[in-house]
Each structure stands twice: as C-alpha cells, then as structure tokens.
Amino acid sequence: MTPSPELKSKPPSLTDAPVLGRTAPVRQIALPHGALAWLITNGDEVRQALAHPHLIKDGPLEGGYPGLPPELALAMSSDVLHSNPPDHGRLRKLVSAAFTRRRTDALAPRIQELTDGLLDAFADRDEVDLVPALTFPLPFQVIAELLGVPAADSEIFQGWANTITQGTLARPEEFIGAATKLVEYARTLIERKRREPADDLLSGLVGVSDGGDRLSEDELTSMVFLMLIAGHATTTNLIGNGVHDLLTHPESLAAVRADPERLPTAIEEFLRYEAPLRMATPRRAAEDVSIGGATIPRGDMVFISLVAANHDPALFAEPERFDIGREKNGHLSFGHGLHHCMGAPLARLEARIAIGTLLARFPKLRLAVPAEQLTRQTSILMNGWESLPVALR
C-alpha cells in the first residue's frame, strides 16, 4: 500500500485519524513515544476490525505504554474489556446482569434525584462550569452507588481518572503513579466489602470470587478499576458533548426545547457527531490479518478510530452536518461485536435525564465563552471537554 504524498516523510499519528479516513482506511502510524502501530479509520473496516476474531485484546496499551510494571498491567487489564474468549464470556456474564434494560430503567428515579440535586447546587449562580458541576459528578455518583463506592471519594478519584484516560499522552511517571493509586484504592474497597458486604455490585463480585473461585484477585481488582473509569468517563463525555452540540447549533436546541421527545434521537446524533471515545481500546493481531487492502502482521498493535468511522461519508450522508433528525444512524460509538459496551443503555438514560432536565431548568442556557475558546481533553482514547462554562441567565 503506497502512502499518500503528504504522509511519505514520516508515519502519521493517532491524531491524524479523521484525515486518514479519506486517504487510506488501514495504515501504519507512529505512537507518541515512537513505536509503530496500525490505525483503522473507515466505517466498514472499523466494523470488521471490532468483530475480527484475530484482532484480540492484549492489556492496557500493551506495547504502547513504556515502563508499565507487569503486576500493575495485570491489575488493570484482567477485566471483561481487556479479555478474549473464553474468559470474556465468563466475566461478562458476571457483570451484565447489573446493566440489563430492566435494571437500568429502574434507576431512572434515582438518576433524576441526583440530577436535581446537582442542578440545585448552582441554580442561584449566573455562570457555571458544567464539567465539575454536572457532567463528571452525575455519572460518578451513579456508578459509585451501583458498586457501593462512597460518593465523597469523587474528589480524590477525578485526578487519577484524568491522568489515566490521557493514556500514552501522559508522562509515564504520572500515568503509573495514578494507576498505582487507583489499583490500591480498588483493593481497599474490595477488602472493605469482604468485611462488610452490602447490597451492591462490588459485594456481589467479591462474593463470587471468594465462594466459587470464579474471579481471581487481579480479575476482581481490574473489574473495579474498569467500572470506575469506563462507568463514568464515557457518560461524562456524552453529556458534555451533547450540551455543547446543542448550544453551538441553535436550531437544534430550539427543536429539542420545543419537543423534548426528540431528545433520544438527538442523543444518537451526539454519539455520532462527537463520539465520547476517540478510539476503541487497542487490539493486537493474533495472526496476519488482511483488512482494507492491507495486511497487518501477526503481533502488531492496532488502533481503531471510532471518530473517523462515525464521519465516513460512505456510511452517513453529509457526515459533517449535525442532524438531530438523522434516521439512519448506525454509529459505532459503543463499539461493535463481542465488546459492545454493556453500559450503553445506562449512559443513554443518564444523558437523557441530565440534558433534558438542564434544558428545562435553564431556558436561557448558553455558552459563557466563544466556542473556539473551549479546550478538549488531552487523551488518545477520550473525546470530551476540559471545561464547559455556561451562562444560566
């Protein structure tokens, strides 16, 4: 496969994904510390890659993060997201019961209560930054209650999470330090649930581990690690991106205000237009893999761009146009195949309640700064806003 002329001088990087989708669907790239990997961008190729049996999970940025101690990698990557069959099926079965549509819908009154409380806290202000005031604390409180984690721990948790979600863009010592602290925190929680079990998901997982020996200590720690990170980060970005999309598209904002029943369809467009995750978690080729006219050699690392796939003109008419009435919206923001996000219904519910209540409560809601002054997170995987200051009156 011949590189396009503008990319011959050096391998492109992960940040080039949206452009590369228009030049080559599968190509080699340079990771931040210089190692080579493969990037897949176009919609059809992304679907194939996400479901390909020979593109397997191999740990948290395995081969892509320098200096990660093996024991820490195991404590971070022995969960359902980073596993392959048959372990994947075993682990997913243990957790998926907590995220069924019926159980998710039953959480709606509590999510509404939490949302109302967060909005009450800044209702008398003229301006507020929605990231610390709403988009982060709501998803964290929801997943914390599901797991049985003290909601008050959100303050110490947020700093670790911000560093970890930067991935290889974070300095190694900062990444490893934050990961170490979060693993220690998870293990402290596990020990607490062993001593004082309660009616929550973490106590249930601990009980399975101790009683049936179906979860190893690393698997249990990693599942807590995963749910604390993934259980809030995607939804934080979905809510923030959705509010941003509406406030920067006044006609769409007016349409949703006039007819709140349009919000569920609008949420699907939020997910497509500004996917909460830039990339799926990395894979590695277990065998030579032919896809998109390229052959990925066995052992090579593979990144899959969800953002680029969601803007593929072969899949979406006028993909750069924000359209809350888009009828055919088969976005890939929650993945595809074996690792499709089991928390997707919960994320959609939280976004619907949070955004719907925010719009109803503050009819004059608007950005407090010009849109071009907003800054996105520094992250390979995450796609959200560092801050989202809004005027309320």
Side-chain angles (χ1 to χ4, degrees):
M1 184 171 58
T2 303
S4 57
E6 70 275 16
L7 297 172
K8 279 184 177 181
S9 58
K10 63 178 182 178
S13 70
L14 287 167
T15 56
D16 297 315
V19 174
L20 296 176
R22 294 186 285 273
T23 60
V26 183
R27 67 174 308 133
Q28 275 196 313
I29 58 166
L31 296 178
H33 64 285
L36 295 180
W38 292 82
L39 177 66
I40 302 177
T41 51
N42 283 14
D44 285 341
E45 287 77 12
V46 164
R47 284 185 185 277
Q48 293 176 47
L50 290 171
H52 202 292
H54 292 150
L55 291 180
I56 64 172
K57 296 300 185 80
D58 200 22
L61 301 182
E62 178 73 19
Y65 204 94
L68 191 65
E71 65 277 10
L72 186 58
L74 280 174
M76 295 170 62
S77 63
S78 300
D79 54 67
V80 63
L81 180 63
H82 296 98
S83 62
N84 303 293
D87 284 339
H88 176 270
R90 175 176 64 90
L91 296 172
R92 191 176 181 100
K93 184 178 180 181
L94 289 171
V95 182
S96 60
F99 297 98
T100 62
R101 181 59 61 87
R102 180 177 61 83
R103 293 197 66 176
T104 295
D105 289 345
L107 294 171
R110 180 56 177 155
I111 296 172
Q112 184 67 64
E113 183 180 7
L114 291 171
T115 300
D116 290 339
L118 290 168
L119 298 189
D120 286 345
F122 59 76
D124 60 349
R125 298 171 59 179
D126 293 330
E127 294 185 4
V128 68
D129 182 351
L130 287 181
V131 173
L134 177 65
T135 70
F136 172 80
L138 177 63
F140 181 81
Q141 289 178 17
V142 171
I143 197 65
E145 289 193 3
L146 276 174
L147 280 170
V149 174
D153 289 353
S154 64
E155 292 184 10
I156 61 171
F157 171 80
Q158 188 169 11
W160 303 335
N162 288 343
T163 299
I164 290 166
T165 55
Q166 288 181 36
T168 55
L169 297 181
R171 290 189 297 180
E173 63 273 18
E174 292 180 352
F175 181 93
I176 293 171
T180 299
K181 290 178 181 177
L182 188 48
V183 166
E184 291 172 351
Y185 176 80
R187 287 180 170 158
T188 299
L189 286 173
I190 290 165
E191 286 305 313
R192 186 184 307 167
K193 296 301 178 181
R194 284 197 174 105
R195 295 191 307 268
E196 303 171 5
D199 184 19
D200 54 54
L201 179 57
L202 180 50
S203 294
L205 291 174
V206 168
V208 169
S209 174
D210 289 345
D213 196 28
R214 294 174 61 194
L215 280 177
S216 69
E217 194 69 13
D218 280 333
E219 287 173 338
L220 187 55
T221 302
S222 185
M223 292 287 267
V224 176
F225 190 101
L226 169 67
M227 284 186 282
L228 283 172
I229 295 289
H232 89 276
T234 301
T235 309
T236 289
N237 290 346
L238 169 56
I239 296 171
N241 290 348
V243 172
H244 172 265
D245 290 339
L246 290 177
L247 296 186
T248 53
H249 295 86
E251 292 183 2
S252 298
L253 175 61
V256 171
R257 285 194 182 281
D259 182 9
E261 294 301 315
R262 300 190 67 175
L263 190 52
T265 302
I267 287 171
E268 300 309 306
E269 183 67 349
F270 304 159
L271 286 162
R272 185 201 70 84
Y273 191 72
E274 290 190 297
L277 297 177
R278 299 179 191 275
M279 302 278 170
T281 48
R283 270 76 166 168
R284 190 176 297 278
E287 304 289 345
D288 289 356
V289 173
S290 295
I291 188 169
T295 298
I296 301 173
R298 177 181 178 179
D300 279 12
M301 193 175 183
V302 179
F303 285 83
I304 303 170
S305 175
L306 304 177
V307 168
N310 284 344
H311 285 257
D312 184 351
L315 295 186
F316 303 98
E318 298 181 83
E320 303 309 318
R321 179 170 60 89
F322 179 69
D323 180 7
I324 62 170
R326 191 178 294 274
E327 294 181 359
K328 295 182 178 180
N329 195 346
H331 64 77
L332 293 162
S333 296
F334 287 123
H336 175 67
L338 192 68
H339 290 280
H340 184 272
C341 177
M342 71 179 76
L346 180 58
R348 288 182 169 105
L349 177 63
E350 291 181 54
R352 178 174 61 79
I353 292 174
I355 296 174
T357 307
L358 180 70
L359 296 182
R361 188 83 173 265
F362 302 103
K364 294 184 179 180
L365 187 75
R366 62 196 184 279
L367 289 178
V369 299
E372 58 270 19
Q373 292 184 14
L374 298 175
T375 303
R376 287 202 175 275
Q377 295 170 334
T378 301
S379 176
I380 287 175
L381 296 179
M382 297 296 163
N383 186 30
W385 298 101
E386 289 283 354
S387 65
L388 192 60
V390 296
L392 304 175
R393 306 184 191 291

